[in-house]
């Protein structure tokens, strides 16, 4: 069994499956792994424990010479997507070994990290769910503006820091925690999870075992007084 | 593998096979599994199929019946595992894909869906038999003067 607590993959799409009660459940289909371990990182050399994984395939001619060497060292084909899975302790896995979806066998919940769809330069209504202003009753050209920036005079010196304003929205790293695992298909390297995940179909994702679940289990292990 | 193929793999596991083939306008018995505590029983919902929607795992159909003078409609997912069996009681002859006009009618007027192949249905009434796994669609002999 691999000591990896996470794996790389891509979002295939959404569909629905029937659960035991016969109800339809919206699920996201993820293709995860098999990922070759490209490098094992440890405290002595790197300052932390991690597994560097590669997912997918790309042509050798599209890979730089230094990276070609890096992949070759692990006996892996060039991968377009390389990422790290942080570990709490030294990894049992060796370079070149494979991590598959079976690491989620018996796991109830996972966290999924992806890159959200870009929305471009967005106003505060779309970006932060601000309210819009009145359409009529004398409102003059202030329908979707953000309103007051705060009090300026004596208390603050200018606009407060972190004030929510229009700007670029989306195309950012987003993690959704505690998603239920519906089904694991090791033959086709598929993982079905309940609900939506960030990013478009085909987007790369990192799937980790749920951190909330881990915290909860650790709490239960603690002696009670 | 392409994304489409992978989706097909997932969705193919969700489709139920061996169900009766039915169409819009047919009168059907839907045998629904109902779980009460740890017991399971079958409830039958009889009515006219007034609409079919979607495809693949998403497919659903609507069955309408009259309880007294009150219309009752139920939407079933076509591939729902909680449907035990679908029995076709009567084939209907309709010219619409959605029979929403039945909603405005009560009593005898809701019976506008005619039997397709009247002779066949009355001769030995094969449609009333509980059907097996394989289903041949009832090939209706053309009525000599249907619209006359």
């Amino acid at each position: 069994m691999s000591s990896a607590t996470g794996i790389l993959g891509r979002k295939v799409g959404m569909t629905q499956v029937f659960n035991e009660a016969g109800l339809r459940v919206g699920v996201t289909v993820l293709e995860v792994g098999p990922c070759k371990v490209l490098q094992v990182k440890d405290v002595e050399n790197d300052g932390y424990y991690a597994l560097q994984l590669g997912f997918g395939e790309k042509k050798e001619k599209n890979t730089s010479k230094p990276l070609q060497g890096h992949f070759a060292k692990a006996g892996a084909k060039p991968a377009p997507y390389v990422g790290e899975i942080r570990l709490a302790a030294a990894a049992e896995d060796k370079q070149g070994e494979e991590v598959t979806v079976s690491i989620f066998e018996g796991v109830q919940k996972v966290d999924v990290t992806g890159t959200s769809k870009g929305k471009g330069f967005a106003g505060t209504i779309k970006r932060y769910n601000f309210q819009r202003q009145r359409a009529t009753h004398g409102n003059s050209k202030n329908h979707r503006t953000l309103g007051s920036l705060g009090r300026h005079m004596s208390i603050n010196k200018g606009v407060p820091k972190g004030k929510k304003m229009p700007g670029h929205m989306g195309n950012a790293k987003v993690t959704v925690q505690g998603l239920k695992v519906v089904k694991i298909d090791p033959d086709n390297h598929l993982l079905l999870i309940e609900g939506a995940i960030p990013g478009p179909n085909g987007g790369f994702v990192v799937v980790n075992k749920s951190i909330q679940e881990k915290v909860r289990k650790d709490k239960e292990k603690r002696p009670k007084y | 593998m392409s994304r489409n193929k992978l989706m097909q793999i997932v969705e193919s596991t969700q489709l139920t096979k061996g169900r009766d083939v039915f169409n819009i306008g047919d009168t059907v018995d839907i045998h629904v599994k109902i779980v009460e505590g740890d017991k399971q029983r079958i409830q039958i919902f009889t009515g006219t199929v007034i609409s079919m929607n979607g495809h693949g795992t998403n497919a659903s159909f609507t069955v309408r019946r009259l309880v007294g003078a009150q219309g009752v409609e139920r939407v079933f997912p076509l591939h729902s595992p909680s449907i035990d069996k679908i029995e076709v009681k009567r084939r209907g002859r309709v010219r619409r894909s959605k029979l929403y006009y039945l909603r405005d009618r009560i009593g005898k007027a809701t019976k506008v869906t005619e039997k397709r192949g009247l002779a066949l249905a009355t001769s030995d009434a094969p449609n009333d038999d509980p059907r097996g796994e394989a289903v041949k669609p009832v090939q209706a002999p053309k009525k000599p003067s249907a619209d006359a």
Side-chain angles (χ1 to χ4, degrees):
Chain A
M1 185 73 191
S2 169
S3 57
T5 54
I7 194 168
L8 313 182
R10 68 173 176 157
K11 178 172 167 179
V12 175
M14 287 193 75
T15 181
Q16 56 187 16
V17 295
F18 294 99
N19 65 7
E20 317 82 56
L23 300 171
R24 291 192 278 203
V25 181
V27 294
T28 307
V29 182
L30 299 177
E31 185 189 14
V32 288
C35 297
K36 276 256 167 83
V37 177
L38 301 177
Q39 193 184 345
V40 180
K41 299 204 169 181
D42 54 29
V43 165
E44 288 81 58
N45 288 322
D46 310 286
Y48 60 98
Y49 294 112
L51 288 178
Q52 191 190 67
L53 305 177
F55 173 75
E57 269 181 36
K58 69 173 178 179
K59 286 178 183 164
E60 198 142 276
K61 70 170 173 111
N62 295 335
T63 313
S64 70
K65 279 276 168 60
L67 266 179
Q68 278 183 25
H70 186 63
F71 287 118
K73 223 191 261 178
K77 281 182 179 159
Y81 189 44
V82 175
E84 275 182 21
I85 303 295
R86 287 290 286 264
L87 301 174
E92 293 161 24
D93 304 63
K94 301 261 161 22
Q95 195 178 34
E97 284 183 351
E98 261 184 4
V99 179
T100 64
V101 68
S102 52
I103 61 165
F104 293 118
E105 217 79 65
V107 172
Q108 307 280 315
K109 287 180 173 177
V110 291
D111 300 340
V112 180
T113 306
T115 306
S116 61
K117 284 184 185 173
K119 307 289 180 193
F121 192 99
T124 47
I125 296 177
K126 189 190 183 103
R127 197 177 181 204
Y128 294 116
N129 296 328
F130 278 22
Q131 281 178 338
R132 55 162 296 141
Q133 294 172 37
R134 281 182 138 171
T136 58
H137 288 279
N139 188 334
S140 175
K141 296 175 182 176
N142 276 307
H143 305 293
R144 290 178 68 92
T145 58
L146 64 169
S148 168
L149 295 182
R151 59 234 194 285
H152 286 221
M153 287 284 284
S154 56
I155 302 163
N156 294 327
K157 297 203 165 75
V159 179
K161 287 199 171 146
K163 171 77 193 132
K164 291 171 180 172
M165 287 195 191
H168 195 276
M169 182 184 175
N171 195 18
K173 186 174 156 185
V174 178
T175 303
V176 182
Q177 293 187 341
L179 293 165
K180 243 191 234 164
V181 175
V182 175
K183 204 177 149 194
I184 295 167
D185 183 352
D187 295 336
N188 299 306
H189 304 291
L190 295 177
L191 176 68
L192 268 63
I193 54 175
E194 194 174 326
I197 64 158
N201 291 344
F204 286 119
V205 293
V206 183
V207 187
N208 277 298
K209 288 175 188 170
S210 171
I211 185 128
Q212 288 172 0
E213 198 85 329
K214 187 178 173 295
V215 168
R216 191 178 61 77
K217 274 183 188 157
D218 287 351
K219 239 183 207 171
E220 280 170 8
K221 268 187 219 158
R222 254 185 253 158
K224 290 190 178 86
Y225 298 102
Chain B
M1 227 183 304
S2 76
R3 290 209 310 269
N4 269 340
K5 281 243 179 69
L6 292 171
M7 287 302 269
Q8 277 170 13
I9 288 171
V10 174
E11 288 180 352
S12 63
T13 62
Q14 296 298 313
L15 306 176
T16 49
K17 293 182 185 87
R19 288 248 171 92
D20 267 19
V21 178
F22 60 94
N23 236 314
I24 314 242
D26 292 354
T27 305
V28 289
D29 275 7
I30 312 294
H31 296 243
V32 191
K33 287 181 207 161
I34 292 179
V35 179
E36 287 167 337
D38 48 358
K39 274 191 202 161
Q40 186 184 302
R41 63 185 178 86
I42 302 280
Q43 192 183 59
I44 300 175
F45 188 86
T46 311
T48 313
V49 180
I50 62 162
S51 109
M52 288 167 99
N53 262 311
H55 53 87
T57 53
N58 189 31
S60 66
F61 60 97
T62 307
V63 179
R64 179 180 173 86
R65 65 170 298 179
L66 285 177
V67 180
Q70 183 64 51
V72 176
E73 281 179 18
R74 259 185 96 167
V75 183
F76 297 96
L78 184 60
H79 296 286
S80 169
S82 48
I83 296 179
D84 185 48
K85 193 164 61 166
I86 299 173
E87 266 183 74
V88 181
K89 287 297 196 190
R90 209 177 68 121
R91 303 267 166 189
R93 182 183 169 278
V94 289
R95 303 184 66 160
R96 314 251 165 272
S97 67
K98 301 279 184 285
L99 307 183
Y100 295 145
Y101 64 87
L102 292 180
R103 289 173 176 169
D104 305 328
R105 303 184 181 189
I106 49 161
K108 226 175 178 182
T110 55
K111 246 193 146 183
V112 280
T113 49
E114 302 167 5
K115 268 181 194 170
R116 196 204 246 173
L118 207 63
L120 191 108
T122 45
S123 61
D124 57 345
N127 286 348
D128 291 335
D129 293 338
R131 295 176 144 247
E133 292 290 294
V135 165
K136 291 153 253 133
V138 178
Q139 204 53 51
K142 266 254 164 74
K143 258 167 94 187
S145 54
D147 301 312

